[in-house]
Amino acid sequence: MAKSRQMELSEALALGPNWRHLCYVMLYAPNPGVLFGRIPQRYAVLMQMRFDGRLGFPGGFVDAQDRTLEDGLNRELQEQLGEAASAFRVERADHRSSLSGGKPRVVAHFYAKGLTLEQLEAVEASAPRAKDHGLEVLGLVRVPLYTLRDGVGGLSAFLENSFIGATREQLQEALRDLGLVAQGSFLGPRQPTFQ
Amino acid sequence: MAKSRQMELSEALALGPNWRHLCYVMLYAPNPGVLFGRIPQRYAVLMQMRFDGRLGFPGGFVDAQDRTLEDGLNRELQEQLGEAASAFRVERADHRSSLSGGKPRVVAHFYAKGLTLEQLEAVEASAPRAKDHGLEVLGLVRVPLYTLRDGVGGLSAFLENSFIGATREQLQEALRDLGLVAQGSFLGPRQPTFQ
């Protein structure tokens, strides 16, 4: 497997017709909920269990008939998340990073999109009726952003699950950069620069 | 942590008032679906992402006001899975095993309940509106029962996720004993006796 390499979006778009473009998005929303009456949840952040038994973000490959990367991404979201995904649109401005090297001649574009909690809950409600449910997608899960008293349960234990490609690191980076976890919260042992 | 020990249900029920009883269930249904036009799914089997970032089965602790273990379990299912859990009842006959040693003075009772695919899909649809959704339960996922061409993706990769207590081994055992995976299918490296 080639070494992963971050690239500018403009560079990725100039790669030519032999390359395939994969787009996926972290959907998140402010969440005033409190767990066990004492643990603020801060945000609801969505990932999904994939057909291969690994966690990842909703999205997929851009097709030849998609006019833009985001057209492809939003089409995939409707297939994976159902009708509630038509209530918003992931835009170019939501793009965070582009990465090559996971698979040969594939460049993966990572987006993050802020929703209202109502929009995110509507996605959770419509996903079990989506075209891909029970096939490519085995279920949506929220990411726990807190650490329980034992120092492991919560985000730390969640990050020990199986993730596809670079999604674990992209989750950690987005949680940090978007300020979705409290200052000093555990963000995982695999990327010491994130501590 | 004390060593895990299987016990008879009658022995567990005689443990006395200092012990707490935890009950959880594997819900499953025949599933004629085919992934990518070539991989039979055989069954839909449900697990959930828990508040602590680990996978487990729906269920919880039996309360003093519950008349039976199964009363407690079915009450928890309604809280975690929503209204669709009232369309069926997990019974004593669905009990598979009882295990002590996970936590002090806790005995965990594992059940498996066969549903119709319509009942299971109704559970998936009602779970996002359940009382515990987004709190104790972060989402339901189906277990992939197949192995992809790379020899890892599917059940094998799924079993590499984080699981609470003995649920990984209980999943493997139930899949084998109930015949939910094809003969010779991968059932995980952690229990060589299951191969």
Side-chain angles (χ1 to χ4, degrees):
Chain A
M1 189 187 291
K3 197 167 167 353
S4 289
R5 185 168 77 84
Q6 294 268 359
M7 60 174 75
E8 294 297 318
L9 183 55
S10 55
E11 187 188 354
L13 289 171
L15 281 170
N18 287 337
W19 283 72
R20 290 197 299 159
H21 294 265
L22 181 63
C23 294
Y24 46 86
V25 61
M26 185 182 92
L27 300 175
Y28 66 98
N31 181 5
V34 177
L35 177 65
F36 303 140
R38 59 182 173 79
I39 303 173
Q41 296 182 302
R42 301 177 56 92
Y43 289 85
V45 175
L46 290 184
M47 295 193 78
Q48 62 190 19
M49 182 60 71
R50 296 156 37 95
F51 63 93
D52 62 1
R54 303 179 180 101
L55 293 167
F57 293 106
F61 280 101
V62 177
D63 287 345
Q65 71 263 31
D66 296 315
R67 258 190 340 111
T68 65
L69 297 182
E70 294 78 24
D71 278 1
L73 174 54
N74 286 284
R75 176 183 50 71
E76 285 284 346
L77 294 184
Q78 297 219 15
E79 293 175 11
Q80 295 183 353
L81 305 178
E83 64 197 17
S86 61
F88 58 88
R89 185 179 158 83
V90 182
E91 303 281 7
R92 182 63 51 99
D94 303 313
H95 174 267
R96 291 190 54 79
S97 61
S98 298
L99 195 67
S100 68
K103 288 184 180 177
R105 287 189 216 282
V106 170
V107 56
H109 305 281
F110 178 49
Y111 295 73
K113 176 76 176 176
L115 303 178
T116 66
L117 186 57
E118 292 68 29
Q119 287 175 320
L120 187 139
E121 289 173 342
V123 165
E124 292 177 312
S126 79
R129 296 187 306 272
K131 173 171 170 281
D132 288 350
H133 177 70
L135 295 164
E136 285 88 336
V137 183
L138 300 179
L140 291 184
V141 302
R142 294 192 190 185
V143 178
L145 302 180
Y146 43 78
T147 304
L148 300 175
R149 281 182 181 151
D150 66 4
V152 179
L155 182 55
S156 174
F158 182 84
L159 292 170
E160 292 301 312
N161 285 298
S162 302
F163 292 80
I164 187 69
T167 54
R168 185 205 317 266
E169 292 72 23
Q170 289 170 320
L171 170 68
Q172 292 171 304
E173 186 182 77
L175 294 181
R176 180 196 58 180
D177 290 354
L178 298 169
L180 304 193
V181 287
Q183 195 95 33
S185 287
F186 181 86
L187 266 169
R190 287 166 197 257
Q191 293 277 342
T193 55
F194 289 168
Q195 300 281 331
Chain B
M1 189 187 290
K3 197 168 166 356
S4 288
R5 186 169 76 83
Q6 292 268 359
M7 60 173 74
E8 295 297 318
L9 184 55
S10 56
E11 186 188 355
L13 290 171
L15 282 169
N18 287 337
W19 283 72
R20 289 197 300 159
H21 294 264
L22 180 63
C23 294
Y24 46 87
V25 62
M26 186 182 91
L27 300 175
Y28 66 98
N31 181 5
V34 177
L35 178 65
F36 303 140
R38 60 181 174 81
I39 303 173
Q41 297 182 303
R42 301 178 56 91
Y43 289 86
V45 174
L46 290 184
M47 295 193 79
Q48 62 190 18
M49 182 60 71
R50 297 156 37 95
F51 64 94
D52 62 2
R54 302 179 180 101
L55 293 167
F57 293 107
F61 281 101
V62 178
D63 287 346
Q65 72 263 31
D66 296 315
R67 258 188 342 109
T68 65
L69 296 182
E70 294 78 23
D71 278 1
L73 174 53
N74 286 285
R75 176 184 50 71
E76 285 284 346
L77 293 185
Q78 297 219 15
E79 293 174 11
Q80 295 183 354
L81 305 177
E83 64 197 19
S86 61
F88 58 88
R89 185 179 157 83
V90 182
E91 304 280 7
R92 181 64 50 100
D94 303 313
H95 174 267
R96 290 190 55 79
S97 61
S98 298
L99 194 67
S100 69
K103 288 183 180 177
R105 287 190 216 283
V106 170
V107 56
H109 304 281
F110 177 49
Y111 296 72
K113 175 77 176 174
L115 303 178
T116 66
L117 186 57
E118 292 68 28
Q119 287 175 320
L120 187 140
E121 289 173 341
V123 165
E124 291 178 312
S126 79
R129 296 186 307 271
K131 174 170 169 282
D132 288 351
H133 177 71
L135 295 164
E136 284 89 337
V137 183
L138 300 179
L140 291 185
V141 302
R142 295 191 190 185
V143 178
L145 302 180
Y146 42 79
T147 303
L148 299 175
R149 281 184 181 149
D150 66 3
V152 179
L155 182 56
S156 173
F158 183 84
L159 291 170
E160 292 301 312
N161 285 298
S162 303
F163 292 80
I164 187 70
T167 55
R168 185 204 317 264
E169 291 73 23
Q170 289 170 320
L171 170 68
Q172 292 171 302
E173 186 183 76
L175 293 181
R176 180 197 58 180
D177 290 354
L178 297 169
L180 303 193
V181 287
Q183 195 95 32
S185 287
F186 181 86
L187 267 168
R190 289 165 195 258
Q191 294 278 342
T193 56
F194 289 169
Q195 300 283 331

